[in-house]
Amino acid sequence: MEKHKHRALLHFLKRSGKPIEDYVNALAEVVDDLNDAYDQLDSKWRLGTEEFLKLMILDGCFILEIMRTCAPVFNDYDPNDPIFSDHGRLYIVPYLKRDMLKLENQLPLLVLEKLVEREDGIVIRLILNFFDQKRVGNMGKCLHILDVYRKSLLEEPDKNVDHKVHQGEDEIIRSATELNEAGIQIQKSETKSLKDISFHRGVLKLPPIMVDDTTESIYLNLIAFERLHVNAGNEVTSYIFFMDNIIDSAGDVSLLHSSGIIQHAIGSDKAVAELFNSLSKDVTLDPENRLAKVHNSVSYYCKKPWNAWRADIMHNYFRNPWSILSVIAAIFLFALTTIQTVYSVLSYANSSSK
């Protein structure tokens, strides 16, 4: 992409009508902040040199031009351009989107804001539009594109269910199929926010999610971001942990799909199950996280005597068609026997009265 980056820079400068030196001077004012944004940065970049600032500008302009290509604005690139055209939007941009969400590819958001020369949130809106994400409330200070994308997934739900804390519960929640057998209804949440997970009166609500070829890369980078940033929070990590617990097999994915929670385009329900199981490797749930309380409430509900008995009946007698037929046949035979017994008693009573 290096040659395309330089082409994007030329288009950006031509459109702005300013020389690159103006942007170098603008970034020079915050060069210390830009240096501090990187860990283990090579010493040659920490001198605040013009070369470092021009590298920031080159990458920043390329990102802005890519996002601008997907926005409903005038496109001054050639229709046959391999990147900044309808062809590039269809065949190249999906891969660039994935790469732009990799933790190692992040550029300080400050660079983009300086290049746009506006601090009214236009860069954040551009990022959210580019990734087809809904803007949430006040995001506060964002570090980079991955941080903006993550916060867009964590909209606060309108209604918070108060979950009571129950001591001594199992740490592993049951699968979606087993929860269904225990009488728990699984429904789609009203929003797509990963925070919009609740359990109330036997109803577990989960946000809908689209699983495709980019899902694994996106969530691995979000998990890595939360693990490496102390004050970032762990909402995405907790969500993946929770989903892994309720997804053990293709049957669980099928149940969640029928409930409108999981839509996927990666081949099979089994592949989706394997994806969530691999994402949660070496992941733990923070006991102070809100999802831990939901987890606790679901476990407590499943251990109630009636729900446990119901789950046992469903698991042992209604797991496959043959078991169901056997139960129906037994009930039918019992009914016939009862009718025959009643008929015999009535016949005997009639004969005795006569």
Side-chain angles (χ1 to χ4, degrees):
M1 285 292 153
E2 287 303 311
K3 64 178 181 179
H4 300 301
K5 287 182 180 181
H6 285 87
R7 289 197 306 109
L9 175 61
L10 292 176
H11 272 264
F12 181 88
L13 294 175
K14 181 181 178 180
R15 194 183 306 113
S16 69
K18 296 181 180 181
I20 191 173
E21 286 73 22
D22 286 5
Y23 294 103
V24 171
N25 294 333
L27 290 182
E29 299 173 359
V30 292
V31 67
D32 291 337
D33 294 329
L34 297 180
N35 276 317
D36 292 341
Y38 291 91
D39 184 34
Q40 299 179 352
L41 194 64
D42 193 277
S43 58
K44 71 176 182 177
W45 301 113
R46 288 198 172 276
L47 300 177
T49 62
E50 186 174 315
E51 184 181 1
F52 171 73
L53 296 178
K54 285 186 175 180
L55 179 62
M56 296 288 99
I57 293 172
L58 179 65
D59 285 350
C61 287
F62 180 67
I63 290 173
L64 289 173
E65 290 294 280
I66 288 294
M67 292 193 295
R68 182 179 178 276
T69 301
C70 295
V73 296
F74 175 74
N75 192 342
D76 55 359
Y77 288 90
D78 191 279
N80 294 324
D81 192 285
I83 306 296
F84 306 96
S85 64
D86 290 340
H87 175 88
R89 188 184 304 113
L90 180 63
Y91 293 104
I92 306 299
V93 170
Y95 297 98
L96 295 179
K97 282 186 176 181
R98 179 195 61 191
D99 289 346
M100 286 166 64
L101 291 177
K102 288 185 177 179
L103 188 59
E104 64 269 26
N105 289 343
Q106 297 309 302
L107 192 72
L109 202 66
L110 182 60
V111 173
L112 303 182
E113 292 172 343
K114 287 292 183 180
L115 292 175
V116 174
E117 300 180 286
R118 292 173 64 178
E119 297 182 357
D120 59 355
I122 188 173
V123 172
I124 290 180
R125 290 198 298 272
L126 192 62
I127 293 171
L128 295 177
N129 290 336
F130 182 65
F131 288 100
D132 298 319
Q133 293 297 116
K134 176 183 176 182
R135 181 165 187 180
V136 299
N138 183 20
M139 288 187 171
K141 182 180 180 181
C142 296
L143 302 177
H144 39 59
I145 290 177
L146 182 64
D147 191 17
V148 174
Y149 183 85
R150 174 182 171 275
K151 289 179 178 178
S152 72
L153 298 175
L154 302 175
E155 179 184 5
E156 289 289 348
D158 294 332
K159 298 178 180 179
N160 291 319
V161 179
D162 184 22
H163 296 279
K164 297 180 180 179
V165 178
H166 305 281
Q167 301 296 327
E169 300 304 322
D170 296 330
E171 295 185 0
I172 303 299
I173 199 172
R174 301 187 186 188
S175 68
T177 303
E178 292 177 310
L179 295 180
N180 186 55
E181 291 173 351
I184 292 178
Q185 298 181 44
I186 301 179
Q187 298 179 3
K188 182 171 65 174
S189 299
E190 297 178 359
T191 72
K192 294 183 179 180
S193 171
L194 302 188
K195 285 185 174 181
D196 199 0
I197 297 179
S198 62
F199 180 73
H200 185 59
R201 294 184 177 180
V203 178
L204 175 63
K205 291 189 175 183
L206 301 169
I209 180 175
M210 177 63 185
V211 180
D212 55 28
D213 293 334
T214 66
T215 301
E216 181 177 21
S217 175
I218 291 173
Y219 279 94
L220 283 176
N221 280 279
L222 290 171
I223 291 172
F225 173 77
E226 291 186 345
R227 183 172 295 186
L228 293 174
H229 291 74
V230 176
N231 296 319
N234 60 357
E235 289 84 0
V236 176
T237 303
S238 298
Y239 167 77
I240 293 298
F241 179 87
F242 190 90
M243 291 300 288
D244 171 49
N245 277 338
I246 66 173
I247 296 177
D248 285 341
S249 65
D252 299 316
V253 176
S254 178
L255 177 61
L256 294 175
H257 172 74
S258 64
S259 301
I261 295 167
I262 290 182
Q263 302 294 329
H264 69 85
I266 60 173
S268 67
D269 292 341
K270 181 180 179 182
V272 176
E274 292 175 348
L275 171 63
F276 277 100
N277 296 156
S278 65
L279 283 174
S280 63
K281 186 177 181 181
D282 297 328
V283 167
T284 56
L285 182 64
D286 182 358
E288 301 300 323
N289 186 277
R290 182 175 176 277
L291 271 185
K293 297 179 180 179
V294 177
H295 177 289
N296 185 279
S297 297
V298 173
S299 296
Y300 179 78
Y301 182 91
C302 291
K303 292 186 71 175
K304 289 182 177 180
W306 164 254
N307 296 320
W309 178 80
R310 184 183 187 278
D312 183 65
I313 293 296
M314 293 292 294
H315 182 81
N316 292 321
Y317 298 103
F318 294 96
R319 287 298 287 255
N320 60 69
W322 296 113
S323 297
I324 296 174
L325 289 175
S326 298
V327 172
I328 293 174
I331 294 174
F332 183 69
L333 181 61
F334 177 76
L336 288 178
T337 304
T338 303
I339 293 173
Q340 184 179 15
T341 302
V342 171
Y343 180 78
S344 299
V345 171
L346 290 176
S347 300
Y348 176 78
N350 289 335
S351 63
S352 297
S353 62
K354 291 179 180 179

